[in-house]
Amino acid sequence: MKLSLFALAIASATPALAQTSSEITAPGPIGALHGTLLKPEAAGPVVLIIPGSGPTDRDGNNPLGVKGQPYKLLAEALAAKGIASVRIDKRGQFASKAAVADGNDVTIAGYADDVRAWVKAARAATGARCVWLLGHSEGGLVVLAAGEGDGICGHILVSASGRPLGTVIRDQLRANPANAPILPQAEAALDSLEKGQRVDVSAMHPALANLFAPQVQGYLIDLFAYKPVVLAAQLTRPMLIVQGLKDLQIGEGDARALAAARPDATLVLVPGVNHVLKNIGVDGDTAANLASYGKPDLPVDAGVVDAIAGFVTKKR
């Protein structure tokens, strides 16, 4: 494992390159998948950005309060360094809504199939020999599940969990003392779902009834079955693991667990950076951290951009 520790980011002085943005599609199960291709003037590496959990769109926003467009800003920053990108709407959501009949009836394997379709589409649109898979948060699991098929350069895991996702949810609930009254209900539900058993939400606290809504339980059962470190250990192509040290959802331990499973991976830990890739400073508090989720004018951390750009350029 190669470990890098970035200090607070310093913006690059290299001049920005001209960028061209266009709509791009890939075949989905019953309808087209939609995304945005952002290309610099000169040909270079190509990165496919896979979104995190829930209703997260191609720009990294979602209706639950994230408006900081981290994926759009990341794509623009990479293009300024000569790196093309494709960022996507997941099957059943936003412009890709018609790709499946039911946006809740999805699986990690289905998302991985879409990644392979996007790789073909991105190669055809750019002429690239291969495409780098970049998964953010839950998207990291999708990238791992996509494997190493034809046209995949390697894997970039950004704010990705090393723990099974059921464990992540359990740990997040336990971390908030206010959840103590509902924790027994939550843990019982998680135990059942991890065993592949659906749960009755009719008597649950409203917050838990929403979290474990019947229409998403099939997806949660599928999701919880995956072990990220096992998948990471099975891969052999170049891997970069990037983790911000002010992340409230995924921690340094997750990144180190993934890196331990892949001792040849490059691990980059970035002080001051949170889950949406914004730098709030090493002394930033929780309020500042959460506020940054809604700030599209706050750029993605330059250290994150430099880590990704340097890796894909060097490994090209």
Side-chain angles (χ1 to χ4, degrees):
M1 175 185 68
K2 301 173 184 177
L3 172 63
S4 299
L5 186 66
F6 278 80
L8 289 178
I10 299 175
S12 171
T14 56
L17 301 174
Q19 306 175 7
T20 302
S21 179
S22 59
E23 186 78 4
I24 184 173
T25 62
I30 62 172
L33 300 161
H34 288 259
T36 298
L37 169 63
L38 188 62
K39 289 200 306 182
E41 203 165 19
V46 180
V47 173
L48 174 64
I49 301 173
I50 311 302
S53 63
T56 300
D57 69 14
R58 69 181 78 179
D59 291 339
N61 298 329
N62 71 48
L64 304 178
V66 181
K67 301 176 182 177
Q69 56 187 33
Y71 305 156
K72 181 176 187 289
L73 295 173
L74 175 60
E76 291 171 348
L78 290 174
K81 293 179 176 293
I83 298 164
S85 65
V86 174
R87 59 188 195 274
I88 66 169
D89 289 334
K90 295 185 288 186
R91 59 165 63 187
Q93 296 186 25
F94 305 104
S96 298
K97 186 173 180 60
V100 292
D102 181 357
N104 289 315
D105 186 16
V106 293
T107 63
I108 294 298
Y111 284 146
D113 287 341
D114 294 345
V115 166
R116 298 183 194 101
W118 275 117
V119 167
K120 292 180 182 178
R123 292 176 69 194
T126 63
R129 177 183 60 84
C130 62
V131 175
W132 291 93
L133 306 185
L134 186 158
H136 175 254
S137 192
E138 187 183 291
L141 178 61
V142 176
V143 160
L144 292 173
E148 299 181 321
D150 185 45
I152 295 174
C153 305
H155 305 80
I156 303 168
L157 308 178
V158 181
S159 307
S161 179
R163 296 163 289 166
L165 270 296
T167 302
V168 172
I169 294 174
R170 185 180 284 104
D171 290 347
Q172 289 175 348
L173 290 169
R174 288 174 176 173
N176 186 350
N179 289 331
I182 62 172
L183 204 54
Q185 272 190 345
E187 296 202 343
L190 287 166
D191 289 345
S192 294
L193 292 166
E194 286 169 336
K195 294 173 184 175
Q197 302 167 356
R198 290 179 174 266
V199 297
D200 180 3
V201 301
S202 60
M204 282 188 184
H205 185 280
L208 295 180
N210 183 59
L211 177 62
F212 302 121
Q215 61 267 32
V216 301
Q217 287 186 25
Y219 178 63
L220 293 177
I221 288 170
D222 176 74
L223 178 68
F224 293 170
Y226 285 87
K227 296 178 173 58
V229 293
V230 173
L231 293 176
Q234 294 170 350
L235 302 177
T236 60
R237 293 184 189 171
M239 180 177 290
L240 171 66
I241 301 162
V242 181
Q243 179 60 47
L245 297 182
K246 295 296 284 189
D247 193 326
L248 298 174
Q249 286 127 290
I250 301 296
E252 179 181 346
D254 289 288
R256 290 192 178 276
L258 290 166
R262 272 294 303 270
D264 61 330
T266 297
L267 171 63
V268 176
L269 304 175
V270 196
V273 171
N274 67 7
H275 194 66
V276 293
L277 314 182
K278 310 291 180 109
N279 198 315
I280 61 162
V282 294
D283 297 321
D285 60 17
T286 300
N289 198 324
L290 295 175
S292 74
Y293 284 51
K295 294 182 177 180
D297 57 330
L298 183 63
V300 165
D301 178 71
V304 172
V305 177
D306 288 344
I308 296 167
F311 186 78
V312 302
T313 302
K314 180 180 177 181
K315 298 291 184 180
R316 189 179 178 195

